[in-house]
Amino acid sequence: MNIHSILASVVTATAFAATTTAEEAVSFETSILPILESKCIKCHATEHTDAAGKVKKPKGGLVMDSAAGLTKGGKNAKDKTLVAGKPDESELYRVTTLPSSDDDAMPPEGKADPLTDAEKELLKKWITEGAKFGEWKGK
Ligand code: HEC
């Protein structure tokens, strides 16, 4: 074995270790849904009638309590609401990273707590990994 083949096997072994020790994929149901439930879904639920008998439509046409709604997307962003593999092209992620003074920032200022950095990272990672819902269908 010459020095080049030794180096090549070291590189291969390192790459192998890096992929096999990668963290587990982010689960929508256990990691993402709780964030949406606490900070988004009160305004982005499937159309329903509230306790006072008032019809509540999802804001911006974006339904976030079902996989179908999230896949369909909002009235403006449509299929750019979630772009599998591309968080920076996904409106759902982008709006959470805007300064609270921005008109598009979500949640709207003062209406719910903004996402923490850890929550934004999880959302980004979930989209990067393909924005998959697993078994979850929601409403
Ligand atoms: C207090 C209510 C409220 C909360 C909470 C809220 N939103 Fe919104 N959201 C709105 C309103 C109102 C609009 C529509 C704005 C418009 O059409 O100008 C909107 C629109 C959007 C849109 C654009 C939809 C489109 O395509 O037109 C996205 C994406 C979005 N929200 C994501 C989120 C996310 C993510 C969260 C949670 C982190 C969240 N929202 C929390 C009220 C809310």
Side-chain angles (χ1 to χ4, degrees):
M1 213 190 241
N2 65 28
I3 184 71
H4 294 290
S5 52
I6 291 169
L7 279 177
S9 42
V10 169
V11 169
T12 312
T14 312
F16 183 69
T19 49
T20 51
T21 56
E23 304 153 63
E24 248 180 75
V26 176
S27 149
F28 176 82
E29 212 169 340
T30 55
S31 299
I32 304 300
L33 185 58
I35 303 172
L36 305 186
E37 278 175 336
S38 68
K39 298 181 171 174
C40 314
I41 289 175
K42 68 174 174 181
C43 298
H44 291 283
T46 300
E47 184 173 318
H48 61 283
T49 308
D50 72 7
K54 202 168 162 245
V55 175
K56 297 284 220 179
K57 290 187 188 287
K59 303 289 186 203
L62 176 54
V63 170
M64 294 174 48
D65 57 1
S66 78
L70 282 160
T71 304
K72 178 165 168 265
K75 71 172 184 330
N76 295 313
K78 301 188 180 93
D79 61 355
K80 298 284 176 203
T81 302
L82 273 177
V83 183
K86 300 189 172 149
D88 297 331
E89 291 177 22
S90 299
E91 200 61 7
L92 190 105
Y93 170 69
R94 196 188 68 90
V95 295
T96 67
T97 63
L98 297 170
S100 57
S101 56
D102 193 297
D103 277 350
D104 290 343
M106 288 287 149
E109 197 169 12
K111 303 286 188 175
D113 289 334
L115 264 58
T116 63
D117 288 346
E119 289 171 337
K120 284 181 219 170
E121 272 313 302
L122 271 175
L123 186 56
K124 184 176 190 178
K125 189 164 183 278
W126 173 70
I127 296 173
T128 303
E129 290 169 349
K132 297 194 186 88
F133 296 101
E135 297 294 300
W136 185 81
K137 294 206 164 35
K139 290 244 159 102

